[in-house]
Amino acid sequence: MTRTTRITRTATYTLRSKRRRSALRTVAFLSPWLIGFGVFFAYPLISTIYFSFMKYDGFRPPVPNGLENWTYVFTEYRLFWPALQNTLWLVVVMVGCRVVFGLGVGLLVIRIKSGGRVFRTLFYLPHLAPPVAATLAFVFLLNPGTGPVNSVLETLGLPAPGWFTDPDWSRPALTVLALWGIGDLMVIFMAALLDVPKEQYEAAELDGASAFGKFRHITLPHISPIVLFAVVTGVIQTMQYYTQPLVAGKVASGIIGGSGQQFEPGYPENSTVTLPQLVYDIGFQRFDYGAAAVVALVLFALSMLFTALLMRRRSGLLGPGD
Amino acid sequence: MTASSYGGRPGTAARAARRRAVLHWIAVHALAVAAALFFVLPFVFVLLTSLMSDQQALTRDLVPRTWEWENYTRVLDTPGFLTWWRNTLLYAGLGTVLTVVSSIPVAYALAKFRFRGRRLTMMLVISMMMLPPQVIIIPMYLFWAKELDLAGSLWPLIIPMAFGDAFSVFLLRQFLLTVPDEYLDAARVDGCGEVRTLLRVVLPMAKPGIAAVALFQFFYAWNDYFGPQIYASENPAAWTLSYGLESFKGAHHTDWNLTMAATVLVMAPVILVFFFAQRAFVEGVTLTGVKG
């Protein structure tokens, strides 16, 4: 063996061991999440698929029953289609209103000269209110009989709707509640709006552009990725929309109580039922884990569809370096 | 003043511009006040109702006739209320510590190590972050309740936080990306291993990011309703504030004044913490949203 080959061989050896060491190091640093991913994502997801083909009530051992759970959910379970319809409604109206209103408040906030910090804080605070507390408060505020909002509306001679007790108004009432918690979007839009180069506005002013023209041709193109981001995250949040519609339905219907009592979600007339509530309803109130698994998988498919949009290079959460 | 002297004077344009600026100022602030009313009035009504008598809370009055401060002591004396506080603090406090400690190394590796499969790992982190908790709840519940017999406690909610929460990993990584590599290289040249570089160099610089993650996680647990509903509902001794609050309304069917007082007591800590940590919040929200 000559001297040179021995040197190259040691070199490749150290290089390889260095690479192996750095791979080990990466795995070590990632290990908490790797375990979490396996135990709290991969395993339960595969299990859910398995349960969706089983008859299982949590007591007797699971029995395979083919596509029965699937046909049950799609054709017989009467809350499934209302839940899907409500989700669609919320995606269009609630997400739309939130993005437009959030952008409006963002545009307003960056123009406030005196007391800007105070206003920003006031606008942000409702976002932090615990959902159960906020929902309770709004059911009370919008209570058709005694709520202050309808008192004010009637004093002004305006129509006073039934809000959470009227199936046509329960979703608009939820939308008002969602608009109240606009703080997160306001902050995101604010940051984006402050990033638009000022020189472009100055140049446009010299050309005599109107305020709307400036917004349309300078602001909007600059912030469009953030608008898209807000829309997509809004849709994903809607797929998870659970606490507010459930608590609103329970409290407005008067059927509450922590344990023991059953509540079929959707009051009034299925107008507030959403997909995540179905998992609880079938799985944990009717003890039909198989059918609940089917709903969970529908929910999963929808969420991941929109998550994929968020991961596209230009518009999303993955940077160019990933 | 004649028309000619009006139009001919130099500085008219400047004056017109100033008048426009004043009008703009007025319009913006009028809108701001209107918006502030929308955001603040619900809090005000809740607060006012919480101080009304039982009978008055059922009327359309907006302002209390007599200020019933003892509504708050009545709420605090309700059996269970203080237990819910303790449980919530345990869930939120312990959960936050576990989340931060377990998420930091993961976020660091994703931000600063180059390795094959990094993009894939990020994609999986984001997928996990966007996963509705209801999707995996059936096997998870069966696992905790049947295999480990921990239903009726908050442990099924706290223990998973020791394994790197996806949202926290994502947020921390966004923050660590802004820490310049030169600092890390300098530490490595000085002979620091990765662990020491992380502890000595990166962590001190990442304090604002860690603060944001801790706050978000704390509020997540504080506000969580679904988790306690699944795991703790059968055992009132394990209820949290969010879950207990709703049943509180059930027990006090008509007492909106007490319900609103309880609502104030659940909201207050959140608002208090926010006033001390505003910057961390705003930074955190911005980091999750803004991406070039």
Side-chain angles (χ1 to χ4, degrees), chain A residues 25-26 29-33 35-37 39-41 43-45 47-48 51 56 58-59 101 105 108 111-115 117 119 121-126 128-134 136-141 143-148 150-152 154 176 179-182 184 187-188 191-192 195 225-226 229 233 236 239-240 242-243 246-247 250-251 254 256-259 276 279-280 284 289 292-293 296-297 299-300 303-304 307 310-311 313-314 316-322, chain B residues 24-25 27-29 31-33 35-36 38-43 45-46 49 57-60 62 102 105-106 108-110 113-115 118-119 121-144 146 159-160 162-166 169-170 173-174 188 194-195 198 216 219 222-223 225-226 229-230 233-234 236 239 242-243 245-247 249-250 253 256 259-260 263 266-267 270-271 274-275 278 281-282 285-286 288-292:
Chain A
R25 186 192 66 185
T26 304
F29 274 71
L30 291 178
S31 60
W33 180 79
I35 297 169
F37 178 78
V39 180
F40 305 116
F41 189 92
Y43 153 75
L45 206 56
S47 280
T48 304
F51 281 128
Y56 186 42
F59 300 103
F101 188 59
V105 175
L108 174 66
R111 281 175 175 73
I112 298 176
K113 295 287 182 330
S114 6
R117 250 181 71 105
F119 279 112
T121 308
L122 293 180
F123 296 175
Y124 185 74
L125 268 186
L128 294 173
V132 175
L136 269 173
F138 267 70
V139 173
F140 169 70
L141 295 172
N143 193 335
T146 56
N150 277 8
S151 305
V152 173
E154 277 168 28
V176 175
L179 290 184
W180 191 57
I182 207 70
D184 54 338
V187 171
I188 290 171
D195 264 358
I226 301 297
F229 171 86
T233 45
I236 294 170
M239 297 296 155
Q240 312 189 6
Y242 181 81
T243 309
L246 178 68
V247 173
K250 274 186 172 185
V251 178
I256 24 177
S259 53
V279 179
Y280 184 81
F284 297 91
Y289 291 119
L297 289 174
L299 192 57
F300 174 72
S303 301
M304 287 304 125
T307 302
L310 272 183
M311 288 196 273
R313 265 166 197 272
R314 270 300 293 152
L317 293 169
L318 283 172
D322 290 308
Chain B
H24 183 254
W25 190 96
V28 164
H29 284 79
L31 267 178
V33 170
F38 172 66
F39 288 113
V40 174
L41 275 183
F43 286 120
F45 282 136
V46 166
T49 308
L58 290 171
T59 66
R60 307 194 124 197
L62 297 182
S102 61
V106 183
Y108 177 64
L110 282 171
F113 294 177
R114 319 249 134 223
F115 56 92
R118 192 167 79 142
R119 188 179 157 82
T121 314
M122 270 313 288
M123 285 168 74
L124 293 176
V125 168
I126 293 170
S127 307
M128 233 175 133
M129 183 166 101
M130 297 301 172
L131 187 77
Q134 289 83 7
V135 170
I136 53 165
I137 195 64
I138 293 151
M140 286 306 7
Y141 175 79
L142 295 171
F143 171 71
W144 290 108
K146 305 235 179 250
I159 294 167
F163 298 96
D165 167 66
V169 166
F170 176 77
R173 186 197 92 119
Q174 300 299 90
R188 287 179 193 135
E194 284 305 329
V195 176
L198 173 59
F216 279 120
F219 285 124
W222 192 275
N223 294 341
Y225 173 87
F226 181 66
Q229 184 191 27
I230 292 290
S233 61
E234 62 193 65
W239 286 3
S242 274
Y243 190 69
L245 185 60
E246 182 215 75
S247 72
K249 175 71 191 92
H253 218 63
W256 275 111
T259 306
M260 290 300 111
T263 303
V266 175
M267 282 184 181
V270 173
I271 289 166
F274 173 72
F275 276 111
Q278 278 193 49
F281 263 104
V282 171
V285 177
T286 316
T288 49
V290 179
K291 203 69 189 69

